[in-house]
Amino acid sequence: MGVPLRQQIAVGTYLIKQKILGVKKYPLVLMLEPLFRCNLACAGCGKIAHPEEILDKRLSYDECMKAVDECGAPMVSIPGGEPLLHKEMPQIVAGIIERKKYVYLCTNALLLKKRIDDYTPSPYLTFSVHLDGMRERHDASVCQEGVFDRAVEAIKLALEKGFRVTVNCTLFQGETPEDVVEFLDYAMELGVEGATIAPGFSYEHAPKQDVFIKGADTKKLFRGIFELGKKLKRKWRLNHSALYLDFLAGNQDYKCTPWGNPTRNVFGWQKPCYLLADEGYVDTFQELLDSTPWEKYGNANNPKCAQCMAHCGYEATAVEDTLRHPWKALVTSVKGPKTTGEMVAEPIPHWATEEGKKKDKKLTDIPVTIDYK
């Protein structure tokens, strides 16, 4: 794993505490989204589709700290939009670090060179730079030429200044194992701490819908990546649990646990996760846990979730499985994901069965009011 031992111990201690206390639903990573505004317009992004009055909204420093405190997760990911556009971001990051939480500041890095002196290197701070492959692939993904080179320049600068740096790679339609292996090799050569790789989620509001990988193609792609990595004897540092990577390769039958990565944004606490924007919002984290109909979501329960294998839904599931089956996780970590043999069966969609149709019909009789704040 591309995670320092100090952080692994802190997160492990937190997880053991939850098990001792008998907590069933607990957060692992807070997705703190203080703005939707961005300086790029990526084809696969559903966040920038909001009207201007929403794009102008910001979570204040106090609102961010309240979210961190009431959630209690040991790690905080700050996506966007582009977080470096937020004038209070240095104070927000400092406040999270003061609470000894590990913060991943996600950025396209276009502003990183200009703003880097606003931050101080810390074992609690990581710049997670968005790179969707090599130069041609990444620039096509973000719909602007020259972004890859500027991001790489910023990565090198951050590393020189002593910051922790990772790359966050989203995979889209048309990827090949060879392309991804080339990118991971390059990322390791850059000297980043680790890489996050996951299939893109098909946002309903994304400008383009033909860029997302569908169904079993995702598993075939990841099997191809891991098989080629074994053949070439690569030792990539990936910011994922071994069992989540095994899930991506089609070897684990997991259900989504979205409460593991709860989202707080300018509307409130988002139901049920970072990826579904039209399911409603609540005022507090506890209300999110108590009022969200979790059983309505997941790849077998909701057509919106059918193709999702994103880490914000399944990494927490894999971590829970690791706690229950440490030997399985250890063997998978040593050997790597299985790349041959049958894959686990695809889930039978609940909404396609007669029983599911009857239940869904009953649910339509219940009036629902969504308050967008």
Side-chain angles (χ1 to χ4, degrees), residues 4-292:
L5 181 60
R6 173 178 179 172
Q7 183 173 333
Q8 292 186 46
I9 292 173
V11 175
T13 301
Y14 167 84
L15 293 171
I16 292 171
K17 180 180 178 181
Q18 305 312 304
K19 303 304 287 186
I20 292 174
L21 294 175
V23 180
K24 300 297 183 183
K25 291 183 174 66
Y26 54 86
L28 183 61
V29 180
L30 167 61
M31 307 291 283
L32 182 63
E33 197 172 22
L35 79 169
F36 294 135
R37 175 76 68 182
C38 190
N39 48 5
L40 287 174
C42 303
C45 179
K47 301 293 181 177
I48 57 171
H50 294 285
E52 286 296 314
E53 60 267 24
I54 300 301
L55 294 178
D56 287 339
K57 286 182 176 290
R58 304 286 188 271
L59 288 181
S60 69
Y61 169 84
D62 290 338
E63 287 174 316
C64 289
M65 294 306 102
K66 181 180 178 182
V68 172
D69 291 340
E70 65 175 299
C71 175
M75 295 178 285
V76 180
S77 176
I78 306 181
E82 171 51 52
L84 294 184
L85 290 171
H86 198 303
K87 293 181 179 179
E88 290 186 289
M89 190 51 59
Q91 290 76 29
I92 291 170
V93 169
I96 298 172
I97 291 173
E98 286 175 7
R99 288 160 168 76
K100 298 191 182 301
K101 308 285 187 180
Y102 289 90
V103 54
Y104 285 79
L105 182 56
C106 304
T107 175
N108 58 38
L110 292 181
L111 290 172
L112 186 54
K113 185 176 180 180
K114 180 180 179 180
R115 303 283 169 80
I116 197 165
D117 290 334
D118 294 337
Y119 302 89
T120 302
S122 165
Y124 291 99
L125 171 61
T126 301
F127 287 115
S128 179
V129 178
H130 173 210
L131 279 183
D132 287 343
M134 299 300 289
R135 181 181 291 105
E136 183 177 351
R137 188 77 180 178
H138 179 66
D139 287 355
S141 173
V142 301
C143 304
Q144 184 174 318
E145 292 184 3
V147 175
F148 178 88
D149 291 333
R150 292 173 66 181
V152 169
E153 181 183 5
I155 287 172
K156 291 178 179 179
L157 176 63
L159 290 171
E160 288 173 3
K161 288 182 173 289
F163 287 96
R164 294 178 59 187
V165 182
T166 63
V167 294
N168 180 8
C169 179
T170 304
L171 303 183
F172 295 101
Q173 192 68 256
E175 305 278 6
T176 68
E178 290 76 14
D179 291 338
V180 180
V181 166
E182 180 187 11
F183 170 73
L184 289 174
D185 286 348
Y186 181 76
M188 297 304 102
E189 290 172 7
L190 277 177
V192 298
E193 182 177 286
T196 299
I197 55 172
F201 177 78
S202 53
Y203 288 103
E204 291 180 290
H205 304 300
K208 295 183 66 176
Q209 290 296 316
D210 59 351
V211 298
F212 302 106
I213 310 175
K214 304 296 183 182
D217 291 343
T218 297
K219 299 171 184 178
K220 292 177 183 177
L221 172 62
F222 277 94
R223 278 205 174 187
I225 295 167
F226 299 140
E227 183 176 10
L228 188 54
K230 290 179 180 180
K231 182 179 179 181
L232 298 175
K233 298 182 179 180
R234 296 294 194 259
K235 297 292 183 181
W236 302 308
R237 298 179 297 278
L238 301 178
N239 279 2
H240 298 292
S241 65
L243 290 183
Y244 175 68
L245 297 176
D246 206 41
F247 164 72
L248 290 176
N251 303 315
Q252 301 294 332
D253 182 16
Y254 285 156
K255 290 181 172 60
C256 176
T257 52
W259 55 82
N261 287 258
T263 296
R264 173 66 165 96
N265 59 33
V266 297
F267 293 128
W269 290 93
Q270 181 173 324
K271 294 182 179 183
C273 70
Y274 175 74
L275 300 173
L276 296 182
D278 298 326
E279 303 299 303
Y281 299 85
V282 294
D283 293 330
T284 68
F285 175 64
Q286 191 60 50
E287 188 179 356
L288 177 75
L289 289 180
D290 295 341
S291 67
T292 303

